[in-house]
Amino acid sequence: MEQENNQPDGRLFANITQVGVVVHDVDESVSTYEKIFGKDSFVVVEGEGTATLGDGRDVTIKGKLAFCQLGPVQLELIQILEGESCHVDFLKENGEGIHHIATEVANLDEEIEKFRAKGVEVLQRGFGLRPWAYMDTKPIILELIESS
Amino acid sequence: MEQENNQPDGRLFANITQVGVVVHDVDESVSTYEKIFGKDSFVVVEGEGTATLGDGRDVTIKGKLAFCQLGPVQLELIQILEGESCHVDFLKENGEGIHHIATEVANLDEEIEKFRAKGVEVLQRGFGLRPWAYMDTKPIILELIESS
């Protein structure tokens, strides 16, 4: 599945739709970023969702998320309130920071298989509004989101 | 300078041109990412440059950088070999990871002034092929690069 020389697979970065940032406290970060991006520029939601970890276990995660649409890119701030999640590991290992870059794909399972053929496994996956998967392309984590 | 409700300044994310990643060892990371993005997809350069730190001091930095063009976005891997730099602080505090997101601006000094009016200072700036500045919008660092 390896590509030929000098023809990187640019499709995956052709359409960055989200930059995801793990933070300690969403409210505090929203307050900071609204000074930059404008008052009331974030929508904050608190909720519970299910996900599948890299080892196959299904988990329930409670989180507080904030979204701000900046041109074509959504800025997502993520605070995990309860449950196991790769975001918790990230915060422990790296502190607050950019956790993932997201791109849309037509067929999530097909893309995952392409990554697996290159030795890259799923770090975590789930289904929010649309199916998504974090691919273990660390230190960058690439999130694939299935187009609606 | 604050914007009105619900009108975030999306211009800055309208054109993400680079994702910058700080790593321990560029050669090792290139080897990892070439498995994903394709053989020989990176150009590696080693060199010396000058920059101005946030506290106003001018420094000389030796680094090894690798670039891979992925669609419209350039992936930059950064290893600092010698000298003071915010990348060194990042690696110490956060470990390897996504350090900055870059966007192009028409006039760097004007954009910096707009950020300063919002209380955001320059973290580090310099002049490579084009003038650039990292803005201290942590935990995201936003790099502004002046369009050529």
Side-chain angles (χ1 to χ4, degrees):
Chain A
M1 296 292 292
E2 200 165 47
Q3 291 175 277
E4 291 309 308
N5 291 9
N6 291 316
Q7 300 183 331
D9 186 352
R11 287 177 312 118
L12 289 171
F13 274 53
N15 188 20
I16 291 181
T17 54
Q18 190 186 72
V19 173
V21 181
V22 170
V23 298
H24 286 293
D25 185 313
V26 155
D27 293 329
E28 211 171 274
S29 296
V30 163
S31 162
T32 300
Y33 283 114
E34 287 198 339
K35 285 178 197 144
I36 301 170
F37 296 122
K39 202 178 158 193
D40 295 339
S41 52
F42 281 85
V43 174
V44 180
V45 290
E46 198 175 314
E48 189 175 293
T50 55
T52 305
L53 303 181
D55 62 12
R57 282 180 300 132
D58 292 325
V59 290
T60 301
I61 307 166
K62 278 188 191 171
K64 194 168 191 173
L65 308 174
F67 299 96
C68 173
Q69 195 66 36
L70 295 163
V73 177
Q74 186 182 65
L75 179 60
E76 178 187 25
L77 305 177
I78 304 159
Q79 176 189 357
I80 301 299
L81 300 171
E82 215 180 296
E84 276 184 82
S85 175
C86 63
H87 306 99
V88 176
D89 302 332
F90 180 90
L91 193 61
K92 202 180 293 175
E93 289 164 23
N94 305 91
E96 294 190 318
I98 302 176
H99 173 264
H100 67 262
I101 302 282
T103 193
E104 295 199 3
V105 295
N107 185 308
L108 182 62
D109 287 324
E110 274 179 22
E111 284 308 324
I112 288 174
E113 282 316 308
K114 284 183 202 164
F115 271 93
R116 282 193 170 136
K118 293 173 181 179
V120 177
E121 288 300 321
V122 172
L123 191 65
Q124 192 161 318
R125 65 183 296 180
F127 189 96
L129 295 173
R130 297 179 287 169
W132 57 268
Y134 291 133
M135 301 310 299
D136 191 358
T137 49
K138 286 182 188 173
I140 305 167
I141 294 170
L142 189 61
E143 180 180 17
L144 308 177
I145 303 177
E146 192 162 273
S147 308
S148 43
Chain B
M1 297 291 291
E2 198 166 47
Q3 290 176 280
E4 292 308 307
N5 291 8
N6 291 314
Q7 299 182 331
D9 187 352
R11 286 177 312 118
L12 290 171
F13 273 53
N15 188 21
I16 292 180
T17 54
Q18 190 187 71
V19 173
V21 182
V22 169
V23 298
H24 287 294
D25 185 313
V26 155
D27 293 329
E28 211 170 274
S29 296
V30 164
S31 161
T32 301
Y33 283 114
E34 287 198 338
K35 285 179 197 144
I36 300 170
F37 296 123
K39 202 178 157 192
D40 295 338
S41 52
F42 281 84
V43 175
V44 180
V45 291
E46 199 175 314
E48 190 175 291
T50 55
T52 305
L53 303 181
D55 62 11
R57 282 181 300 135
D58 291 325
V59 290
T60 301
I61 307 166
K62 279 189 190 168
K64 193 167 193 175
L65 308 174
F67 299 96
C68 173
Q69 194 67 35
L70 296 164
V73 178
Q74 185 182 66
L75 180 60
E76 179 187 26
L77 306 177
I78 304 159
Q79 177 190 357
I80 302 299
L81 300 170
E82 215 178 296
E84 277 184 84
S85 175
C86 63
H87 306 99
V88 176
D89 302 332
F90 181 90
L91 194 61
K92 202 180 292 175
E93 288 165 24
N94 305 92
E96 294 190 317
I98 302 176
H99 173 263
H100 67 262
I101 302 281
T103 193
E104 296 198 3
V105 295
N107 185 308
L108 183 62
D109 287 324
E110 274 179 23
E111 284 306 326
I112 288 175
E113 282 316 308
K114 284 183 202 164
F115 271 94
R116 281 192 171 138
K118 293 174 180 179
V120 177
E121 289 300 321
V122 172
L123 191 64
Q124 191 162 318
R125 64 183 296 180
F127 189 96
L129 295 174
R130 295 179 288 169
W132 56 269
Y134 291 134
M135 301 310 298
D136 190 359
T137 49
K138 285 183 188 172
I140 303 168
I141 294 170
L142 190 61
E143 181 181 17
L144 308 177
I145 304 177
E146 191 161 273
S147 306
S148 42

